[in-house]
Every structure is written in structure tokens, then in C-alpha cells.
Amino acid sequence: MEITEVKVFPVNEDRLKAYVSITIDNCFVIRDLKIIEGTGGLFVAMPSKKRKDGQFKDIAHPLNQETRTDIENKIFEAYENEIRSMGESLHSLQRQKTSDTDY
């Protein structure tokens, strides 16, 4: 699997920093990933849907840590490039570590 395109759409909200779309192998698109600022730094939230009980459930997500790390690295690289192109500082850019149980 190769992530062939990452599109970042920065937003000016409190915790939400950007929406992201990724393309896999030039033939499959996943939209509505989010870069969110949590208490431990920035993290990538997978596309999700709100259930009737109020909880959110991922509708697309990696099945292993290696794939999650690859996706996150590509997304953060594209986010950093987008922020730099906007002339903003990255001094506060800190990635949050994901645990093996997050997928």
C-alpha cells in the first residue's frame, strides 16, 4: 500500500487544526481525517460517525500500528509543509504518541 496523495485543509478552530484527504495507490480516497490538538499534542483522528448513544465510531481505520504510523507520518509531513507555505511557525507542533490499542 502506498499513500500517493495527501491533501490538507487547515481550519481556524480551537482544537481542530485541519481536515485531510488521502489517496492510496492512486485509486482509493479516504476523506475527513482530522488533525486535532489534544492534551499530549497533535494526533490524527480517523473518519468517524456519531452513533445513537452519542459515541463516535471510526468508519475507516488502519488494522495495525505499522500502517497507522505510515499514514500519520505522511499526514504530518503534508501538514507541516502546508503550515510552512502559509508562513506560520511550527514551534508548537508536537505529535502525540499513539498506542498499540488505538486501532
Side-chain angles (χ1 to χ4, degrees):
M1 177 190 88
E2 181 184 355
I3 298 170
T4 51
E5 184 176 37
V6 179
K7 292 181 181 179
V8 177
F9 307 95
V11 294
N12 191 14
E13 295 186 20
D14 187 31
R15 294 184 55 209
L16 179 63
K17 300 304 176 188
Y19 288 101
V20 179
S21 294
I22 62 173
T23 303
I24 299 170
D25 294 331
N26 286 316
C27 65
F28 190 82
V29 175
I30 303 174
R31 292 188 172 95
D32 291 333
L33 291 94
K34 297 175 189 88
I35 298 176
I36 298 175
E37 186 170 3
T39 56
L42 296 177
F43 66 94
V44 175
M46 295 295 139
S48 60
K49 182 177 182 177
K50 191 172 185 177
R51 298 182 346 182
K52 290 180 183 179
D53 64 5
Q55 292 185 340
F56 286 88
K57 182 76 172 175
D58 287 352
I59 55 175
H61 60 88
L63 296 178
N64 59 59
Q65 188 62 38
E66 179 183 353
T67 303
R68 177 176 293 277
T69 300
D70 187 36
I71 290 170
E72 288 176 345
N73 287 340
K74 299 275 184 167
I75 288 173
F76 283 130
E77 180 182 340
Y79 178 68
E80 291 168 8
N81 290 337
E82 183 67 25
I83 295 301
R84 280 194 184 102
S85 73
M86 295 169 57
E88 296 188 23
S89 170
L90 292 175
H91 70 276
S92 65
L93 181 65
Q94 176 184 347
R95 297 184 194 181
Q96 181 172 318
K97 281 270 198 192
T98 57
S99 69
D100 291 341
T101 59
D102 287 344
Y103 55 86

